[in-house]
Amino acid sequence: MYLVGFYSPKAKSGVTELSLSIYNWLKANTNLSVAFISYGSLEKEDCSNELIHEFAKLTLTEQKRKVKAMKKKHDIIIYDASSKLSEGVLKLLPIVDRLFVVGEEHKDFAVKLHQIIQFDKIFDKSVKNFITHLSGNKTFILQEKKEDRVIGFNHSKKETNEIGQMIYTDYLTHYLHEKFIEKNEKILKKIRKLPKEDLFNGLYDMGIDFEIALLFQRYVILRELLGQDYYEALEDLFPLLIHSPFEEILEKFQKELYIISK
């Protein structure tokens, strides 16, 4: 149910070594069901139901189908994207729940990659997350030092425990969020039944704050102007409505408004 990606723009950067060490750490230190996917081929590890390599040889549709099936069987999946910046890697990265860019010298690259992923998830249906996360956007790049906003890790064995603990803690948080999905689905169904022309009043009657209800209606209208189906827009923006403060929704709304006004 939880997918962690590891990537680096530099060849021979130790991505596979790092991701495998985290995979083995999780298997040794938790009681979770853990699986491993490698975009390339592995020389030492045998392929099995929980350890798959040469993922690049599958079509994007087959990759997504495989990941979706594995998410039903395993608690955590480690995805070794290695160092190949191919179209296939870029199209699969948006489905990860947590993304590590290895090597803090790649901060600028990591920030740009994250921006591309976020943009594609909004506007390109071919890379849209095929697993709906009603609890909000789950694609992150972890920061090593919050005060410096440094992204990524220079891998060493002593960091395996720290990163493993971080992923395990993040998984637990993710699991708790998933517990609320059923409740959120009921709310979303109610919203979908509201008259389109009276969405604002319907949301307000449901207990949504006045300014958030009004902004949400305008956001949906904006998405329709961008060519998105009304009900798809409701579902895409629903996590913002439920989990984000007015200021965050307004910021995202203004960014998309700026794009179409250019």
Side-chain angles (χ1 to χ4, degrees):
M1 63 175 292
Y2 184 72
L3 181 64
V4 181
F6 287 87
Y7 183 79
S8 173
K10 184 172 64 176
K12 298 181 180 180
S13 56
V15 175
T16 299
E17 179 187 357
L18 170 60
S19 53
L20 275 171
S21 70
I22 299 301
Y23 164 72
N24 290 321
W25 185 94
L26 289 167
K27 287 178 65 68
N29 293 278
T30 74
N31 59 357
L32 301 176
S33 174
V34 187
F36 186 90
I37 295 173
S38 177
Y39 197 72
S41 59
L42 300 175
E43 297 179 359
K44 298 179 180 179
E45 286 72 23
D46 295 327
C47 189
S48 66
N49 290 331
E50 69 172 38
L51 197 152
I52 299 172
H53 61 106
E54 296 186 335
F55 210 54
K57 293 185 178 181
L58 303 177
T59 66
L60 181 63
T61 300
E62 290 172 333
Q63 289 175 354
K64 289 184 174 182
R65 186 182 299 117
K66 189 71 174 177
V67 171
K68 189 174 183 179
M70 291 180 74
K71 274 202 165 190
K72 294 180 180 179
K73 296 180 180 178
H74 303 284
D75 300 310
I76 297 180
I77 302 171
I78 302 297
Y79 171 45
D80 166 27
S82 289
S83 306
K84 299 178 178 65
L85 188 59
S86 65
E87 184 177 356
V89 168
L90 282 177
K91 285 183 177 293
L92 195 61
L93 282 180
I95 72 171
V96 302
D97 299 297
R98 174 69 75 182
L99 174 64
F100 283 83
V101 173
V102 181
E104 64 181 53
E105 70 271 23
H106 304 308
K107 175 184 175 182
D108 292 339
F109 171 84
V111 171
K112 182 58 65 177
L113 178 61
H114 193 231
Q115 290 173 344
I116 291 172
I117 290 173
Q118 296 308 306
F119 184 86
D120 283 350
K121 287 177 75 171
I122 295 175
F123 295 101
D124 187 348
K125 290 185 178 180
S126 69
V127 298
K128 208 174 165 186
N129 193 340
F130 70 99
I131 298 175
T132 302
H133 291 296
L134 291 175
S135 55
N137 177 20
K138 296 294 185 182
T139 302
F140 299 99
I141 297 179
L142 282 177
Q143 300 169 4
E144 186 179 17
K145 299 176 183 177
K146 291 184 179 179
E147 64 273 18
D148 296 332
R149 297 192 65 80
V150 174
I151 301 175
F153 291 86
N154 288 320
H155 175 236
S156 65
K157 290 184 178 180
K158 66 180 181 180
E159 291 170 339
T160 299
N161 181 69
E162 178 184 348
I163 300 173
Q165 290 282 4
M166 192 179 299
I167 291 174
Y168 180 60
T169 301
D170 196 48
Y171 161 79
L172 294 177
T173 304
H174 172 82
Y175 177 80
L176 291 175
H177 277 298
E178 290 290 307
K179 283 294 185 179
F180 292 101
I181 284 184
E182 185 175 348
K183 176 183 177 181
N184 287 341
E185 283 181 335
K186 292 179 180 178
I187 297 174
L188 180 58
K189 286 181 180 179
K190 290 182 179 180
I191 293 175
R192 287 175 62 90
K193 291 179 180 179
L194 296 174
K196 179 179 177 180
E197 64 280 0
D198 201 34
L199 177 61
F200 159 68
N201 287 322
L203 292 172
Y204 184 66
D205 290 340
M206 288 176 60
I208 304 296
D209 290 343
F210 176 88
E211 63 272 14
I212 291 181
L214 183 59
L215 178 58
F216 183 79
Q217 177 176 272
R218 292 179 178 176
Y219 209 157
V220 172
I221 293 173
L222 174 62
R223 284 295 183 86
E224 285 191 285
L225 291 174
L226 289 169
Q228 189 172 26
D229 174 77
Y230 171 74
Y231 292 105
E232 284 187 5
L234 285 181
E235 292 186 10
D236 282 353
L237 298 174
F238 176 71
L240 284 176
L241 177 69
I242 298 300
H243 298 287
S244 301
F246 174 81
E247 292 76 16
E248 182 178 339
I249 303 174
L250 179 61
E251 180 182 1
K252 291 180 180 293
F253 172 78
Q254 289 175 332
K255 285 181 179 179
E256 290 189 34
L257 186 62
Y258 173 75
I259 291 175
I260 67 170
S261 63
K262 291 185 66 177

